[in-house]
Amino acid sequence: MLTVRYFAGARAAAGGLSSEPVEAETLEELTSLLAERHGERLAMVMKAASFLVDGLTCHDRAAPLPANATIDVLPPFAGG
């Protein structure tokens, strides 16, 4: 079981949730499941988002996720 934490616009797109449990093997699977669960608005945010897996940036959406990992969904932030 993974813990997904939402920040800024991702939190708003997920209906105000700050975190939720999800079962997924990869970021591809995770983003697909979350898009189905929360709709197109979150799907669009996740297309541009960065992901931290247990605090480390993950660019490979097909890489296996560790069991019990915490996934942070970080949308692009405005400003400096």
Side-chain angles (χ1 to χ4, degrees):
M1 183 68 64
L2 305 170
T3 299
V4 177
R5 299 189 306 184
Y6 301 105
F7 294 88
R11 180 178 291 172
L17 289 176
S18 60
S19 67
E20 68 180 311
V22 178
E23 288 193 38
E25 298 293 321
T26 65
L27 284 176
E28 284 178 341
E29 183 182 0
L30 177 74
T31 57
S32 178
L33 289 169
L34 294 175
E36 289 176 21
R37 187 179 290 179
H38 296 289
E40 185 62 24
R41 186 172 171 207
L42 183 59
M44 294 301 294
V45 169
M46 288 189 298
K47 285 181 183 179
S50 298
F51 296 89
L52 299 180
V53 177
D54 287 336
L56 300 173
T57 302
C58 182
H59 298 288
D60 183 358
R61 294 188 181 208
L65 294 170
N68 302 313
T70 297
I71 312 300
D72 295 331
V73 181
L74 306 170
F77 293 94

